Amino acid sequence: MTTPPIAPSLMATLPGHYYTDPEIFRQEQEHIFESMWFCAVRSADLDKPGAFRTVQVGRENVLITRSRTGEPRAFLNVCRHRGARLCTEESGQVRRNLQCPYHAWTYDLDGKLIAAPNLVQMPDVDRTQYGLVKVALREWLGYAWVCLAEEPPSFEETVIGAAVERLGDTASIERYHTQDLALGKRISYDVKANWKLIVENFMECYHCATIHPELTDVLPEFADGYAAQYYVGHGAEFGDGVKGFTVDGSEGFGRLPQVADDQDRRYYAITVKPTVFINLVPDHVILHRMFPLAEDRTVVECDWLYAPEVVAAGADVSKSVELFHRVNAQDFQACERTQPAMGSRAYRRGGVLVPTEHHIGIFHEWLTSKLGGAHA
Ligand code: FES
Ligand SMILES: [Fe+2]
């Protein structure tokens, strides 16, 4: 059957099965989540040596901890003896070492095998050879990013480069000093939708006028359907009577000290493929990390970050949290409404993108190139 021609102002989306097929999800795990830099944990959540978090990165479980000397370290969460998962909790604190709960092989916080029952009777065993498998780790914006690739891609190009591409330079994001901010609020959303629907939704603002009344009140230009990330360097301007990036437009907090005059009263949104969204406003930063767990399930962890003195003073951050919490809830509900239709025969060849969404086509091209060509 031939596909009818598409109207010139429309572009095709990906076909529906890209959002439902477990085999495509498996390929994404291998070629995207396990191959690129993946934003895993907020560094400050590992507040002292032995504090750990475990996160799912593609098909692997990764253990991230802090060494005796305070360095963040990442390992595959797999005991080198017979493969038991070393840490089963999502977070915790060990006193000195990591001990496998199965036969008690024990690793120090640098991953070195330091003890095992009867190990002294096996003098031929080279302990360095049976240490935990290390995973590459970089810190940026106060988060630990890990990469499972044997040869990780350039962090500067693939991660920091996304901010440069969007804002025009690195200084623009550095002025928010995200790594020095404090966590005011964290909300975790368990979204029953494919991760790509969440990315696509974040990339466009065609839906803003329909589903985001509070956001378009604060950022009136969003009602036109043009996302802030449509133009390089452009930040959406707060409306005339709006005092701050809050649910009712009321006053926020003081401008972060180095945010420039031309960044004041503006909102910038950055997508760092594959799983991170960053929103910059004068008095706080909102950072989303996605954890794609299945073709139809994605956990999104959203952090609201403020100047340390704002959090230390116990200031009421609820008005600014509420604005983007509503946006998140509205967006994720839309994604969940879309997910079941991805398997419908009505969407077998996909849908269409209107001109204000055409840049999503670049994301689709990127995705299919990662997967090694078309899978239609
Ligand atoms: S599997 Fe870990 S000690 Fe045996
Ligand atoms: Fe939205």
Side-chain angles (χ1 to χ4, degrees):
M1 207 160 86
T2 53
T3 312
I6 197 164
S9 56
L10 301 177
M11 271 176 71
T13 67
L14 294 171
H17 75 277
Y18 268 78
Y19 304 85
T20 58
D21 184 348
E23 174 54 23
I24 289 198
F25 184 69
R26 196 205 60 73
Q27 290 178 24
E28 290 169 346
Q29 289 180 311
E30 181 180 347
H31 299 295
I32 296 175
F33 311 130
E34 295 168 21
S35 299
M36 299 181 68
W37 287 99
F38 188 98
C39 188
V41 302
R42 185 163 180 266
S43 306
D45 290 336
L46 305 173
D47 56 349
K48 50 179 184 288
F52 70 85
R53 298 259 160 167
T54 57
V55 290
Q56 195 64 26
V57 181
R59 294 162 297 178
E60 297 283 2
N61 196 264
V62 176
L63 167 63
I64 303 154
T65 185
R66 211 174 263 292
S67 72
R68 287 275 138 236
T69 50
E71 304 296 320
R73 300 262 188 257
F75 310 102
L76 296 182
N77 189 9
V78 174
C79 178
R80 293 298 304 283
H81 173 222
R82 293 216 350 254
R85 183 169 283 196
L86 211 55
C87 296
T88 49
E89 303 87 2
E90 279 188 6
S91 65
Q93 170 78 47
V94 294
R95 277 171 50 121
R96 295 194 66 80
N97 304 311
L98 297 156
Q99 188 177 65
C100 179
Y102 196 178
H103 313 87
W105 277 34
T106 304
Y107 306 87
D108 71 12
L109 296 174
D110 290 310
K112 191 170 157 244
L113 177 66
I114 51 166
N118 308 328
L119 189 62
V120 284
Q121 288 153 30
M122 299 175 273
D124 56 322
V125 174
D126 175 0
R127 295 176 185 207
T128 55
Q129 223 190 318
Y130 290 95
L132 297 176
V133 175
K134 285 199 169 66
V135 172
L137 185 150
R138 285 280 303 262
E139 284 184 290
W140 187 55
L141 304 181
Y143 287 79
W145 304 62
V146 298
C147 184
L148 294 170
E150 297 267 319
E151 285 179 37
S154 158
F155 191 88
E156 283 64 27
E157 280 171 28
T158 59
V159 178
I160 300 173
V164 175
E165 196 181 307
R166 168 68 193 91
L167 301 176
D169 55 39
T170 39
S172 299
I173 189 163
E174 281 167 3
R175 289 194 203 105
Y176 292 81
H177 283 262
T178 311
Q179 69 280 5
D180 301 324
L181 301 182
L183 185 68
K185 181 80 177 173
R186 169 173 295 162
I187 301 180
S188 187
Y189 304 85
D190 195 339
V191 187
K192 308 284 182 294
N194 184 275
W195 68 282
K196 297 188 292 299
L197 291 179
I198 301 174
V199 173
E200 292 160 9
N201 172 81
F202 191 78
M203 289 179 76
E204 55 95 355
C205 208
Y206 191 43
H207 66 270
C208 289
T210 330
I211 70 170
H212 295 318
E214 302 86 356
L215 185 65
T216 47
D217 276 353
V218 173
L219 306 172
E221 67 188 81
F222 271 15
D224 296 340
Y226 283 89
Q229 51 207 61
Y230 202 78
Y231 312 103
V232 173
H234 177 73
E237 199 167 6
F238 292 5
D240 278 346
V242 170
K243 295 204 178 75
F245 196 72
T246 54
V247 70
D248 54 3
S250 60
E251 197 98 48
F253 303 101
R255 199 201 316 180
L256 293 168
Q258 290 179 35
V259 167
D261 288 346
D262 64 2
Q263 294 175 305
D264 198 13
R265 296 183 55 76
R266 285 183 185 269
Y267 162 92
Y268 298 87
I270 304 162
T271 304
V272 185
K273 292 192 292 287
T275 52
V276 176
F277 310 130
I278 305 164
N279 300 289
L280 306 168
V281 288
D283 63 336
H284 63 284
V285 171
I286 306 166
L287 193 140
H288 294 75
R289 277 168 293 150
M290 287 198 294
F291 297 90
L293 299 181
E295 61 278 5
D296 57 358
R297 183 176 171 216
T298 310
V299 167
V300 186
E301 209 156 89
C302 183
D303 290 347
W304 281 261
L305 305 161
Y306 299 85
E309 56 276 16
V310 167
V311 175
D316 179 7
V317 296
S318 62
K319 288 225 162 127
S320 54
V321 169
E322 183 62 19
L323 175 55
F324 226 85
H325 170 57
R326 284 196 199 179
V327 170
N328 285 337
Q330 291 153 350
D331 280 333
F332 300 151
Q333 189 187 33
C335 294
E336 289 188 340
R337 177 176 298 148
T338 307
Q339 179 65 32
M342 296 295 106
S344 164
R345 67 193 76 184
Y347 210 76
R348 199 172 281 154
R349 293 201 199 90
V352 291
L353 301 170
V354 301
T356 57
E357 300 170 307
H358 279 184
H359 56 294
I360 294 174
I362 299 167
F363 170 62
H364 292 158
E365 273 171 30
W366 171 85
L367 184 105
T368 49
S369 74
K370 286 279 174 200
L371 301 188
H375 287 253

Short mmCIF file of all heavy atoms in Angstrom, two decimals, residues 201 207 212 331, ligand 2:
data_model
loop_
_atom_site.label_atom_id
_atom_site.label_comp_id
_atom_site.label_asym_id
_atom_site.label_seq_id
_atom_site.Cartn_x
_atom_site.Cartn_y
_atom_site.Cartn_z
N ASN A 201 7.19 16.16 23.81
CA ASN A 201 6.31 17.11 24.48
C ASN A 201 7.10 18.29 25.02
O ASN A 201 6.68 19.44 24.91
CB ASN A 201 5.57 16.39 25.61
CG ASN A 201 4.79 17.36 26.48
OD1 ASN A 201 3.70 17.76 26.13
ND2 ASN A 201 5.38 17.77 27.59
N HIS A 207 1.15 22.83 22.46
CA HIS A 207 0.12 22.42 23.42
C HIS A 207 -0.04 23.41 24.58
O HIS A 207 -0.95 23.26 25.40
CB HIS A 207 0.47 21.03 24.00
CG HIS A 207 1.73 21.03 24.84
ND1 HIS A 207 2.98 20.79 24.33
CD2 HIS A 207 1.91 21.25 26.17
CE1 HIS A 207 3.87 20.86 25.31
NE2 HIS A 207 3.26 21.14 26.43
N HIS A 212 -1.66 24.37 29.46
CA HIS A 212 -0.88 25.04 30.51
C HIS A 212 -1.37 26.46 30.80
O HIS A 212 -0.66 27.44 30.53
CB HIS A 212 0.60 25.14 30.09
CG HIS A 212 1.31 23.83 29.93
ND1 HIS A 212 1.16 22.78 30.80
CD2 HIS A 212 2.21 23.42 29.00
CE1 HIS A 212 1.93 21.76 30.40
NE2 HIS A 212 2.56 22.13 29.31
N ASP A 331 1.61 17.92 31.46
CA ASP A 331 2.37 17.28 30.37
C ASP A 331 2.31 15.76 30.45
O ASP A 331 2.10 15.09 29.44
CB ASP A 331 3.84 17.72 30.43
CG ASP A 331 4.07 19.09 29.83
OD1 ASP A 331 3.28 19.50 28.96
OD2 ASP A 331 5.04 19.75 30.24
FE FE B 2 4.14 21.24 28.30
#
